[in-house]
Every structure is written in structure tokens, then in C-alpha cells.
Amino acid sequence: EAGVTQFPSHSVIEKGQTVTLRCDPISGHDNLYWYRRVMGKEIKFLLHFVKESKQDESGMPNNRFLAERTGGTYSTLKVQPAELEDSGVYFCASSQGLAHEQFFGPGTRLTVL
Amino acid sequence: GQQLNQSPQSMFIQEGEDVSMNCTSSSIFNTWLWYKQEPGEGPVLLIALYKAGELTSNGRLTAQFGITRKDSFLNISASIPSDVGIYFCAGRDHQGAQKLVFGQGTRLTINP
């Protein structure tokens, strides 16, 4: 069974540009989560989808971040316009059900110059 | 927001030594999890704890859910080179909550 995949693995952009990160959850997992780790600090929750619906987006830092999961399969996280403080590693995770633990993808390392 | 204080931040040990790390919180958590992250990979779940006082082992790893529900520890016995990585504690702060709150991580380095 394939794990959670994320694309790209690395992205280097300039301040003010737009970047879109993609996450493909494990097949059949209705729950999809985005987290990020900034500058060696703790991994922080961004949001949670159940199928195509946003269940909890309390961790989204501001309106420059837009997450979508059309069709309830893969998800995208767009940052527009990117700022320096957005640099970090963005992780996606998925789980089969609410009572199941989350499996993490390898992350996308975003560097904003 | 919720915070988990994880210590130590880093450890440098000799192969064969035992390792201990812990996490504390100012509020109650209903689930405690321990993850390991290796370079280029995402966090991988090592041990999950669901009841206060629960002590669970996974090979050379042992973790406990504190009685007060505000702390957890992870022990690694007889460390080997492949134990190198960053260990994170994580928890859920109330029943039904799905989002995980993470500690800052403990970076483990082993000298052969």
C-alpha cells in the first residue's frame, strides 16, 4: 500500500510569489491534515479535511493560505503571496477514520527568499 | 494555544546507552503519541498511549502516559546507530479532537 505522498519535495521561491503544495493521502483515507514545522520549532497543525469538507481550520495562520480538497481525494495548499516567515517544512497526514492514527508524508520543504 | 514542553532538545550518547526523554503539558491530554523522524522522511508513529498510567513497549522502546495526564516519557534501551533521528511527542487535548499538538522534538545523535 502506497503511503502519503507530497509534491514537490522542495520549493524555493521569492517573497511575493505563489506556491502550491500537493498531498495525495493513502487511498481510502477520508481524513487529511496539514501541518508545518518552522525553523526547528514544533510541528503545528494547520487544518483538517473530512473528505472534501474543512472540519477544522483553526491553525491556518492567515488568509494568504488556501487549502482545497476538491473531490475528497488529493489536497492542495496554496500560499499567495509568500512571505519570508512561511519558510519551513509542510507535512500532510491522513487517517482512515477519526479513531485511527495519522500517517505522515515526507513533507515539502519551502524556502522563501 | 496548547503547548507541549519536550526535553531534552538534543542528546549525544554512546552506542549501547539508554535514552530517556519526556514531555509535559500545563493541561490534560487524552492521548499521547511518540513519533520518530529521519532525514527526508515524515514522522513515523512509534507508540500510542490512550489511558492514564498506561505503559507500552515496542521492542527496545517503552513509553508511559502519566497518571496526571499532563506528561509522558519515552525510553530507548541499548541504543543502536539506527535510533538516530528526531523524536517528537504529540497529543490530543480532549476527546474527539483530531488535531495533534507536538513537542519541539529531541534530536538524538549516537557515537558508535
Side-chain angles (χ1 to χ4, degrees):
Chain A
E1 176 182 280
V4 177
T5 58
Q6 293 187 244
F7 183 83
S9 57
H10 292 83
S11 180
V12 180
I13 62 172
E14 293 191 351
K15 176 182 172 181
Q17 289 186 323
T18 297
V19 63
T20 300
L21 314 180
R22 173 171 170 145
C23 168
D24 286 79
I26 293 172
S27 178
H29 282 196
D30 287 340
N31 294 272
L32 187 150
Y33 309 81
W34 284 98
Y35 294 83
R36 76 173 177 179
R37 188 179 189 215
V38 173
M39 286 295 290
K41 295 189 177 179
E42 71 272 24
I43 299 171
K44 279 195 169 180
F45 168 82
L46 296 178
L47 88 160
H48 169 209
F49 283 99
V50 177
K51 297 185 179 178
E52 67 274 8
S53 299
K54 292 176 185 174
Q55 183 78 11
D56 180 355
E57 49 186 328
S58 61
M60 294 289 264
N62 52 61
N63 59 11
R64 295 185 293 104
F65 289 75
L66 175 63
E68 295 181 319
R69 194 184 182 196
T70 308
T73 53
Y74 71 90
S75 174
T76 58
L77 179 65
K78 182 162 72 173
V79 186
Q80 179 184 28
E83 298 289 344
L84 300 179
E85 64 264 25
D86 300 332
S87 295
V89 181
Y90 289 75
F91 291 106
C92 176
S94 72
S95 68
Q96 187 172 6
L98 296 180
H100 295 78
E101 295 307 336
Q102 301 169 24
F103 291 86
F104 282 76
T108 293
R109 179 174 294 278
L110 174 64
T111 302
V112 182
L113 302 175
Chain B
Q2 291 282 2
Q3 279 190 319
L4 292 182
N5 296 310
Q6 185 172 350
S7 65
Q9 284 190 326
S10 60
M11 301 184 74
F12 298 84
I13 64 170
Q14 296 294 123
E15 183 178 352
E17 289 185 6
D18 296 342
V19 172
S20 185
M21 59 192 78
N22 70 84
C23 267
T24 60
S25 169
S26 59
S27 58
I28 289 172
F29 276 68
N30 284 321
T31 302
W32 284 95
L33 307 167
W34 285 92
Y35 286 86
K36 178 188 178 187
Q37 184 188 9
E38 296 186 19
E41 303 291 330
V44 174
L45 182 64
L46 299 173
I47 293 180
L49 303 157
Y50 301 106
K51 293 181 183 178
E54 182 179 356
L55 182 71
T56 297
S57 292
N58 178 7
R60 293 177 296 104
L61 277 61
T62 302
Q64 184 159 32
F65 189 144
I67 287 289
T68 65
R69 294 179 176 264
K70 294 182 179 180
D71 64 310
S72 176
F73 71 74
L74 173 71
N75 288 342
I76 306 173
S77 64
S79 59
I80 60 177
S82 61
D83 291 333
V84 164
I86 303 176
Y87 292 79
F88 291 97
C89 63
R92 291 195 185 88
D93 60 3
H94 60 271
Q95 225 162 7
Q98 292 305 307
K99 67 180 182 184
L100 297 179
V101 178
F102 281 85
Q104 301 95 328
T106 295
R107 182 180 294 274
L108 179 62
T109 303
I110 298 175
N111 297 318

